[in-house]
Amino acid sequence: IMWPTRLAGMLLPAMAFLSCLRPESWDPCVQVVPNVTYQCMELNLYKIPDNLPTSIKNLDLSFNPLRHLGSHSFSNFSELQVLDLSRCEIQKIEDDAYQGLKHLSILILTGNPIQSLAPGAFSGLPSLQTLVAVETNLASLEDFPIRHLKTLKELNVAHNLIDSFKLPDYFSNLPNLEHLDLSNNKIRNIYHEDLQVLHQMPSFKLSLDLSLNPLDFIQPGAFEKIKLHELTLRSNFDSAEVMKTCIQGLAGLKINRLILGEFKNERTIVNFNKSALEGLCNLTIEEFRIAHFDEFPGDDLGFLNCLPEASTISLMGLYLDELKIFPKGFKWQYLNLSKCIFEHFPTLELTFLKQFVFTANKGITTFTKVNLPNLEFLDLSKNGLSYKSCCSHRDFGTTQLKHLNLSFNNIISLDFQHSTLKQASDFSVFLSLKNLLYLDISYTNTKIVFLRIFDGLISLQVLKMAGNSFQDALLPNIFRDLTQLTELDLSQCQLERVSQEAFGSLLRLQVLNMSHNHLLSLDMLPFKNLSLRVLDCSFNRIVAANGQELQHFPSNVTSLNLNQNNFACVCEHMRFLQWVQDHRHILVGAEHMMCEKPLAMQGVPVLSFRNATCQMSKTIISVSVLSVLVVSVAAVLVYKFYFHLMLLAGCKKYGKGESTYDAFVIYSSHDEDWVRNELVKNLEEGVPPFQLCLHYRDFIPGVAIAANIIQEGFHKSRKVIVVVSRHFIQSRWCLFEYEIAQTWQFLSSHAGIIFIVLQKVERSLLRQQVELYRLLSRNTYLEWEDSVLGRHIFWRRLRKALLDGKPWSPEGTEDAESSQDEATTST
Ligand SMILES: *[C@@H]1O[C@H](CO)[C@@H](O)[C@H](O)[C@H]1NC(C)=O
Ligand SMILES: *[C@@H]1O[C@H](CO)[C@@H](O)[C@H](O)[C@H]1NC(C)=O
Ligand SMILES: *[C@@H]1O[C@H](CO)[C@@H](O)[C@H](O)[C@H]1NC(C)=O
Ligand SMILES: *[C@@H]1O[C@H](CO)[C@@H](O)[C@H](O)[C@H]1NC(C)=O
Ligand SMILES: *[C@@H]1O[C@H](CO)[C@@H](O)[C@H](O)[C@H]1NC(C)=O
Ligand SMILES: *[C@@H]1O[C@H](CO)[C@@H](O)[C@H](O)[C@H]1NC(C)=O
Ligand SMILES: *[C@@H]1O[C@H](CO)[C@@H](O)[C@H](O)[C@H]1NC(C)=O
Ligand SMILES: *[C@@H]1O[C@H](CO)[C@@H](O)[C@H](O)[C@H]1NC(C)=O
Ligand SMILES: *[C@@H]1O[C@H](CO)[C@@H](O)[C@H](O)[C@H]1NC(C)=O
Ligand SMILES: *[C@@H]1O[C@H](CO)[C@@H](O)[C@H](O)[C@H]1NC(C)=O
């Protein structure tokens, strides 16, 4: 039980010692930018760290239990510009706490339960522009000691306990104040006197946020003759009735932007009554925004009649039924209708309208013509609309259009779609929009069939058409007129091929997005004459590119994205892979480019592919090819000279031993009679008798003929007698035997071949057997003659030849000697 305590008793002093030894190693703050930005968030610091560089400009000390800020707390950091003290449990801030922070421009005190704020707490901050004191128990602006902060631009005191809207007199000393956020406080009433100070301000630039205050009452005339830049009143009113009186109370206000409405999750008015907005008629409003009112009276937008002089109207998240009541004379220039629910497309005829944003609305399915002669910017995206007739100047009533956004709609049933049905309806839908600079038809389920779809867009600079499709997955030359185009987005168009002329006219193209298509090779893109800077080919199926084509790759490209393709890291594409290595500086996320094939290389970074591998495998390939070649040649040779090898093997075996036969006779079966009747009779029965090897008699049955020839015939015989005849020459078998005999003669030193020419063989026939012919013409041979004398000589010569090398035997000595001098050699 005592162990842990003892251990701790030993360890703690040791740790304390270590920490004394190297204090800087305990430096806990994160150095975001060395010497400039440090992040010390949530480090359980009880005091301001003193080991940070004095040059620090941004310091985040949030979520530390500092609790108390004494004077000159930050004197060591005179360069500070941004100081975040959010949720530091600070309860007390003493005089001169920030003294010396000459450059501090942003001070954040959010979420500190301040009890005691000394009158000089914020002294010595000559550059402070933004003070955020959200959720700081602040009860009144009057006592907030900021009167000397002349440079203050933004004061955020939201989420406090302020219950009076009385703007203190010292505001007149804050000539730069632009934003005052008083939202989420306890203000209920606004009286005339509260705004007295605003009359003295050079105003019209103050933005005031009063959202989420439980407003009950605004004294009529309180805002009379007051100018504001912006006033936000969202989720302020309990009921339509209260809202009505309060808005009436705003009468006389001249304002640049009025924002009304509720927050999506903070809706309080149950039965909205159109009369609530009547009071707007007594205001001068430049820009009017209203958002998120449940049960908005969509059928009667009469309040908008109060705003004929406004330039900007924005309606968001409302139920609007339809819009069609505006007189042409309204001065509206910007109309923004988003996230609303309509029953019909608004019928608009606004002479001054320049910009119409109609986006993410619901409930309507078809676009209907509008008449907006000065319209330049039209955003019709995200409505799920079908555009039945689109998009000529007649449909918009304008020829001024510069931006047209039709993206994310159901289908743009541009007339060209029907071109397959009716040839006459081929129509360049944008033909009249010759001033258009920007066109977005992304994700409109459009299938491009008609090649002249973009004709007439001679000014177009940006074309986005992602998420559509093309006939046959081929990008044809549809950009002929778009000579001014600088940016083209063709991503997610299921493209497999690109026509060689497709980009021929796009001499100014700088950004080309071909990502998420099905391209197989980088050189499918016709690069010639393109002066691209950015090319995105990610998420395709690119395996490689022809190294030859890559020399046309635009030299001005500074960003190339090839991620998520099917690169084949094989030597075949060595040039391409080398090209990738050489261009890694322009590749986006080059290190994330992975090989897909071969299987062994899957998931390996393309950049790690080395040339050397190829050279090595080249050697390996050539070596293996060579060895295969050698082996097969050897096999062929072995096969061809199998018998010769057997002979060779046999030579060793039998070479030294006694020969069983004097001669092995090779002959054609046609000559067998002669062999039996003449040769065998004369040699075997004569004196001395010679033992002949004859296949019909001496070969061992059951053994292959070839094996017999070699083992019985050649190996066991001293000599070979070749009976040459017409039949012999014509028999392949005989010639084969003869061939082996030759090898045998070559191998076996004492061996000899005796040729007997049986009949006069025609020279011509003999000549076919070149080898034999040559042999016969060069060597001794015996010629069989039918005359008595001839036979005698024949036998004598044959016996003599056979006796040569025959081991001495008692019976044959005499004959052998006598015959020796008669040996003849003829040539
Ligand atoms: C940070 O400041 C110290 C002292 O002023 C200086 O020695 C050091 O070089 C600076 N480091 C950087 C990265 O500027
Ligand atoms: C300023 O830094 C010095 C050491 O660098 C330290 O002794 C002193 O306490 C610091 N002053 C404050 C107010 O933190
Ligand atoms: C709207 O308020 C007016 C009075 O301000 C009232 O006469 C009218 O009945 C109300 N309409 C609805 C629909 O509540
Ligand atoms: C506009 O203000 C005048 C007095 O300034 C008032 O008589 C009139 O009723 C107000 N109109 C609306 C619609 O509040
Ligand atoms: C349209 O209004 C919405 C909501 O007020 C706003 O977020 C959006 O920026 C506006 N769009 C334009 C183009 O003014
Ligand atoms: C066109 O509309 C889409 C969808 O609202 C948007 O993503 C795109 O940025 C728009 N283009 C411009 C230039 O506003
Ligand atoms: C290309 O389009 C894809 C999506 O279609 C997008 O994620 C990507 O950022 C675009 N690339 C560039 C360079 O704009
Ligand atoms: C590229 O431009 C040259 C002249 O600048 C022109 O002769 C050639 O036809 C063009 N090539 C293509 C494919 O457009
Ligand atoms: C590449 O850019 C330079 C200027 O950045 C330009 O002068 C040159 O014409 C461009 N090259 C091509 C092929 O467009
Ligand atoms: C790879 O081979 C190419 C020629 O195909 C050569 O120019 C390049 O220097 C080689 N690179 C390396 C790293 O060996």
Side-chain angles (χ1 to χ4, degrees):
I1 293 166
M2 295 304 287
W3 253 107
T5 342
R6 273 199 207 162
L7 195 66
M10 280 153 62
L11 281 176
L12 283 176
M15 282 165 69
F17 173 73
L18 281 174
S19 68
C20 287
L21 211 62
R22 306 190 54 207
E24 70 275 18
S25 69
W26 285 75
D27 183 359
C29 295
V30 178
Q31 182 174 277
V32 181
V33 180
N35 285 358
V36 174
T37 303
Y38 284 78
Q39 218 243 55
C40 312
M41 191 176 151
E42 213 173 357
L43 292 172
N44 216 20
L45 298 172
Y46 288 88
K47 63 185 196 65
I48 290 129
D50 51 22
N51 54 355
L52 296 172
T54 53
S55 56
I56 188 166
K57 289 184 175 158
N58 303 321
L59 179 57
D60 181 356
L61 280 168
S62 58
F63 295 90
N64 286 295
L66 296 175
R67 300 213 169 108
H68 169 241
L69 289 184
S71 64
H72 298 88
S73 286
F74 302 92
S75 57
N76 277 351
F77 309 118
S78 58
E79 302 295 316
L80 269 187
Q81 293 177 0
V82 179
L83 178 58
D84 189 346
L85 293 168
S86 300
R87 302 200 189 272
C88 287
E89 302 175 25
I90 297 168
Q91 295 179 6
K92 188 174 183 187
I93 302 180
E94 289 181 10
D95 281 332
D96 301 321
Y98 308 100
Q99 189 65 255
L101 299 184
K102 296 192 294 285
H103 305 289
L104 195 70
S105 116
I106 299 176
L107 175 59
I108 303 172
L109 287 169
T110 299
N112 286 294
I114 298 173
Q115 312 278 341
S116 157
L117 192 60
F122 298 113
S123 62
L125 291 170
S127 308
L128 197 67
Q129 298 197 344
T130 303
L131 178 57
V132 181
V134 172
E135 221 185 321
T136 50
N137 279 339
L138 193 62
S140 138
L141 280 177
E142 199 69 53
D143 303 333
F144 204 45
I146 55 169
R147 60 178 60 237
H148 61 285
L149 296 178
K150 288 198 164 59
T151 49
L152 207 61
K153 274 189 166 168
E154 183 177 351
L155 177 61
N156 189 343
V157 288
H159 218 286
N160 276 302
L161 308 170
I162 300 166
D163 58 3
S164 162
F165 185 58
K166 172 95 179 80
L167 299 178
D169 293 338
Y170 63 74
F171 267 42
S172 55
N173 286 339
L174 308 178
N176 297 306
L177 197 64
E178 288 178 1
H179 291 271
L180 175 58
D181 191 342
L182 275 164
S183 64
N184 216 341
N185 274 286
K186 311 283 179 212
I187 300 166
R188 306 193 82 91
N189 306 307
I190 295 177
Y191 303 103
H192 188 264
E193 62 188 46
D194 294 347
L195 292 143
Q196 211 51 50
V197 70
L198 289 185
H199 290 290
Q200 299 155 31
M201 291 187 62
S203 75
F204 208 59
K205 60 178 185 182
L206 186 66
S207 296
L208 196 57
D209 193 345
L210 285 171
S211 303
L212 294 162
N213 280 287
L215 288 183
D216 266 341
F217 171 70
I218 297 179
Q219 189 176 23
F223 285 86
E224 194 86 53
K225 294 200 180 113
I226 286 187
K227 290 181 186 173
L228 285 176
H229 179 69
E230 184 179 300
L231 177 62
T232 308
L233 294 172
R234 293 181 73 174
S235 297
N236 287 96
F237 312 106
D238 266 351
S239 67
E241 200 56 39
V242 174
M243 183 170 182
K244 180 180 174 180
T245 56
C246 286
I247 286 183
Q248 280 173 345
L250 293 176
L253 176 65
K254 196 167 185 213
I255 189 164
N256 189 52
R257 185 185 297 139
L258 179 64
I259 303 173
L260 296 182
E262 299 199 313
F263 291 103
K264 226 175 169 180
N265 310 317
E266 298 271 354
R267 299 190 177 183
T268 46
I269 299 179
V270 185
N271 289 310
F272 195 88
N273 188 327
K274 59 190 176 186
S275 67
L277 294 168
E278 278 172 12
L280 291 175
C281 286
N282 275 356
L283 273 66
T284 311
I285 303 172
E286 186 69 16
E287 178 178 346
F288 177 75
R289 293 190 190 175
I290 186 164
H292 299 300
F293 272 118
D294 272 341
E295 299 168 53
F296 197 78
D299 54 335
D300 183 0
L301 292 167
F303 72 94
L304 290 173
N305 285 318
C306 289
L307 307 165
E309 301 294 322
S311 71
T312 305
I313 302 289
S314 170
L315 313 177
M316 180 183 169
L318 303 175
Y319 174 74
L320 284 175
D321 204 352
E322 73 186 308
L323 281 177
K324 58 178 175 185
I325 43 155
F326 318 117
K328 275 187 191 170
F330 277 24
K331 297 275 165 50
W332 299 355
Q333 293 181 31
Y334 305 92
L335 179 59
N336 184 346
L337 306 175
S338 56
K339 298 182 186 163
C340 294
I341 299 174
F342 288 90
E343 272 173 13
H344 301 284
F345 193 87
T347 344
L348 296 179
E349 288 197 29
L350 291 163
T351 325
F352 295 94
L353 205 65
K354 281 188 182 157
Q355 178 169 332
F356 180 32
V357 175
F358 184 85
T359 178
N361 294 297
K362 294 209 177 77
I364 12 155
T365 51
T366 44
F367 169 82
T368 37
K369 284 185 182 184
V370 288
N371 188 10
L372 306 166
N374 282 301
L375 199 68
E376 292 179 357
F377 185 110
L378 179 57
D379 184 351
L380 291 167
S381 63
K382 291 188 178 169
N383 295 309
L385 281 178
S386 304
Y387 297 90
K388 281 275 159 50
S389 74
C390 181
C391 302
S392 75
H393 62 288
R394 285 184 301 268
D395 300 312
F396 305 130
T398 177
T399 51
Q400 310 290 314
L401 214 56
K402 296 205 168 85
H403 292 247
L404 177 57
N405 196 342
L406 296 169
S407 65
F408 296 97
N409 277 293
N410 222 4
I411 192 147
I412 302 181
S413 82
L414 308 163
D415 290 28
F416 63 85
Q417 282 241 309
H418 309 298
S419 59
T420 44
L421 303 176
K422 214 166 107 194
Q423 209 59 32
S425 67
D426 277 0
F427 175 60
S428 305
V429 280
F430 304 108
L431 197 58
S432 58
L433 304 181
K434 58 180 186 298
N435 293 313
L436 204 66
L437 303 175
Y438 174 94
L439 177 60
D440 192 341
I441 57 163
S442 312
Y443 305 98
T444 47
N445 300 324
T446 306
K447 181 167 184 178
I448 284 134
V449 179
F450 179 51
L451 296 189
R452 315 199 59 174
I453 166 174
F454 296 122
D455 279 14
L457 293 171
I458 51 173
S459 307
L460 203 66
Q461 290 175 3
V462 177
L463 175 58
K464 302 208 171 201
M465 51 186 306
N468 292 299
S469 60
F470 289 86
Q471 197 171 32
D472 302 327
L474 167 75
L475 176 67
N477 182 10
I478 50 173
F479 306 123
R480 251 168 303 207
D481 277 1
L482 312 189
T483 51
Q484 302 300 310
L485 206 67
T486 58
E487 191 178 335
L488 177 58
D489 185 353
L490 283 163
S491 60
Q492 304 201 29
C493 285
Q494 302 163 41
L495 284 171
E496 288 169 15
R497 289 167 301 136
V498 177
S499 144
Q500 282 304 305
E501 296 81 41
F503 303 137
S505 325
L506 308 182
L507 298 178
R508 296 192 173 205
L509 196 65
Q510 306 249 303
V511 181
L512 175 59
N513 195 340
M514 298 292 299
S515 73
H516 297 271
N517 280 296
H518 304 325
L519 300 180
L520 290 174
S521 172
L522 184 57
D523 49 47
M524 279 183 157
L525 302 178
F527 289 126
K528 271 188 194 149
N529 288 7
L530 279 187
S531 58
L532 282 182
R533 276 190 309 104
V534 179
L535 176 59
D536 190 343
C537 285
S538 57
F539 294 91
N540 275 277
R541 299 171 183 171
I542 295 173
V543 175
N546 182 344
Q548 214 71 44
E549 293 296 322
L550 284 173
Q551 68 196 35
H552 299 300
F553 191 80
S555 56
N556 278 9
V557 171
T558 54
S559 165
L560 171 63
N561 194 339
L562 290 176
N563 284 307
Q564 303 291 331
N565 278 289
N566 298 346
F567 295 113
C569 296
V570 293
C571 294
E572 185 192 336
H573 302 312
M574 196 170 84
R575 281 183 74 158
F576 170 69
L577 294 166
Q578 182 63 36
W579 184 89
V580 168
Q581 300 255 1
D582 296 344
H583 288 76
R584 61 199 300 173
H585 58 284
I586 61 165
L587 285 167
V588 179
E591 63 279 9
H592 301 305
M593 289 169 58
M594 298 299 169
C595 301
E596 186 67 27
K597 282 174 269 180
L599 222 53
M601 292 285 281
Q602 205 167 29
V604 173
V606 173
L607 287 179
S608 68
F609 185 86
R610 291 276 167 269
N611 263 3
T613 336
C614 292
Q615 264 117 38
M616 201 165 74
S617 57
K618 252 188 204 163
T619 345
I620 290 173
I621 287 170
S622 41
V623 165
S624 34
V625 163
L626 208 69
S627 32
V628 165
L629 216 70
V630 166
V631 167
S632 20
V633 165
V636 166
L637 286 177
V638 164
Y639 176 75
K640 182 141 194 215
F641 296 103
Y642 172 73
F643 298 108
H644 305 70
L645 286 172
M646 263 170 76
L647 269 181
L648 185 62
C651 279
K652 283 239 160 72
K653 206 154 132 211
Y654 298 99
K656 304 260 160 55
E658 293 288 299
S659 300
T660 315
Y661 306 107
D662 291 305
F664 170 47
V665 186
I666 302 175
Y667 60 93
S668 159
S669 55
H670 291 278
D671 303 323
E672 191 159 316
D673 279 350
W674 182 83
V675 171
R676 279 173 192 251
N677 299 334
E678 296 287 344
L679 196 69
V680 174
K681 234 182 207 149
N682 275 295
L683 292 181
E684 294 200 340
E685 288 162 20
V687 181
F690 292 99
Q691 185 61 42
L692 296 180
C693 175
L694 296 162
H695 65 76
Y696 67 84
R697 187 184 68 189
D698 299 315
F699 277 11
I700 303 165
V703 177
I705 295 178
N708 259 325
I709 291 173
I710 290 165
Q711 280 161 16
E712 285 301 308
F714 288 108
H715 284 148
K716 294 191 181 167
S717 309
R718 283 191 303 109
K719 307 244 174 215
V720 173
I721 297 173
V722 180
V723 182
V724 181
S725 70
R726 168 196 291 270
H727 302 298
F728 183 93
I729 289 170
Q730 284 168 342
S731 157
R732 292 177 64 84
W733 186 247
C734 291
L735 288 172
F736 167 69
E737 281 183 303
Y738 156 70
E739 214 175 289
I740 293 179
Q742 271 190 304
T743 314
W744 173 73
Q745 184 189 27
F746 177 74
L747 292 171
S748 166
S749 50
H750 60 271
I753 301 180
I754 302 164
F755 292 98
I756 297 172
V757 178
L758 209 53
Q759 312 140 355
K760 280 261 185 265
V761 184
E762 292 96 59
R763 295 232 148 211
S764 61
L765 194 61
L766 200 54
R767 273 206 188 93
Q768 287 173 9
Q769 275 308 310
V770 182
E771 206 54 42
L772 190 61
Y773 173 72
R774 218 187 279 149
L775 253 153
L776 289 182
S777 55
R778 230 189 283 143
N779 290 302
T780 319
Y781 61 89
L782 301 169
E783 214 166 311
W784 173 250
E785 282 181 43
D786 249 349
S787 63
V788 179
L789 178 64
R791 283 182 185 199
H792 181 72
I793 294 169
F794 176 84
W795 291 122
R796 280 195 62 160
R797 288 178 69 194
L798 183 54
R799 280 169 168 283
K800 184 167 179 286
L802 282 174
L803 273 173
D804 175 37
K806 185 175 163 75
W808 184 84
S809 74
E811 312 110 283
T813 320
E814 180 197 76
D815 252 54
E817 277 171 2
S818 67
S819 59
Q820 244 169 20
D821 11 352
E822 286 175 54
T824 346
T825 357
S826 75
T827 43

